[in-house]
Amino acid sequence: MLRHSPRPAFPQVLAGASLEVPRGSFHMLLGANGCGKSTLLRVMAGLFHPDAGSIRVDAPCGFVFQNPDHQVVMPSVGADVAFGLGRYSLNPAAVQAVVRDSLARVGLQAFAERPTSSLSGGQKQRVAIAGALAECPRVLLLDELTTFLDFEDQENVLQCVRRIAGGVTALWVTHRLEELQYADSVR
Ligand SMILES: Nc1ncnc2c1ncn2[C@@H]1O[C@H](COP(=O)(O)OP(=O)(O)OP(=O)(O)O)[C@@H](O)[C@H]1O
Ligand SMILES: [Mg+2]
């Protein structure tokens, strides 16, 4: 006879967590592996629902993940940035204008026709950011974007987010101390 064991109890991850991010700032959240940074971002993005507590995030809210290969999926840069716009009723000229503007904001204005397979890791992350920007977010959640990047690409991505912060609130998760110098505020 089969015996059914009770549903396993999940550990609490974010007990007592409290965070307020100034609107328009480039805010960094620093923490050790496994402390709950990604979970917090997922809760903020509405991907996970907390058992208790309250959360208020300006909408729309964009998310950029650690591994750009999970987010940049189309064959060309322009098509990838346009990907999320499919759900809006935009004509092709309007889509092209949004793609051009979003790529310019991440410094990749000349890259629209480039195959995404030819990009460096940092360029791919900036394409992922442009894809998020295309949907006019008020908040960008950025989860350890520089994990797989060399020093030069790390700096390019940090400077890119530094430039777009202000128009958008950027919450950047990291465990790399050298990145904190780019932030307006740190927690
Ligand atoms: N879907 C899940 N189900 C059960 N436990 C989970 C789940 N996702 C994360 N956890 C657990 O929650 C804790 C926090 O995980 P989280 O991924 O948020 O940490 P993190 O701070 O982002 O770590 P890292 O720096 O390694 O990315 C970990 O103990 C992890 O094992
Ligand atoms: Mg994480």
Side-chain angles (χ1 to χ4, degrees), residues 34 36-39 42 66 143-144 173:
K37 305 181 297 296
S38 298
T39 304
R42 289 188 168 100
Q66 187 173 40
D143 194 2
E144 303 215 44
V173 157

Side-chain angles (χ1 to χ4, degrees), residues 26 28 122 125-126 129 142 145-146 149-165 170 172-174 176-183:
F26 185 178
M28 287 199 187
Q125 274 303 22
R126 284 151 67 198
I129 294 170
L142 307 146
L145 266 56
T146 58
L149 306 185
D150 63 21
F151 177 74
E152 196 180 328
D153 265 350
Q154 177 192 18
E155 198 167 276
N156 285 336
V157 173
L158 279 158
Q159 278 169 354
C160 163
V161 176
R162 180 64 271 173
R163 279 194 305 272
I164 59 182
W172 174 283
V173 157
T174 186
R176 298 171 82 166
L177 285 171
E178 77 272 16
E179 299 188 342
L180 302 185
Q181 59 182 306
Y182 290 84

Side-chain angles (χ1 to χ4, degrees), residues 44 54-58:
M44 292 178 73
S54 65
I55 191 137
R56 215 170 46 238
V57 182
D58 289 342

Side-chain angles (χ1 to χ4, degrees), residues 22-112:
R23 193 167 278 145
S25 67
F26 185 178
H27 185 92
M28 287 199 187
L29 189 61
L30 184 75
N33 287 130
C35 73
K37 305 181 297 296
S38 298
T39 304
L40 177 62
L41 292 193
R42 289 188 168 100
V43 169
M44 292 178 73
L47 302 173
F48 288 172
H49 296 288
D51 295 319
S54 65
I55 191 137
R56 215 170 46 238
V57 182
D58 289 342
C61 170
F63 204 122
V64 183
F65 299 96
Q66 187 173 40
N67 186 345
D69 287 332
H70 294 165
Q71 198 155 6
V72 176
V73 293
M74 296 300 281
S76 79
V77 167
D80 197 83
V81 175
F83 186 75
L85 299 174
R87 66 180 122 141
Y88 308 101
S89 308
L90 295 177
N91 64 46
V95 169
Q96 286 318 307
V98 173
V99 168
R100 262 198 313 275
D101 177 60
S102 303
L103 284 173
R105 288 174 76 189
V106 300
L108 294 177
Q109 51 274 31
F111 281 63

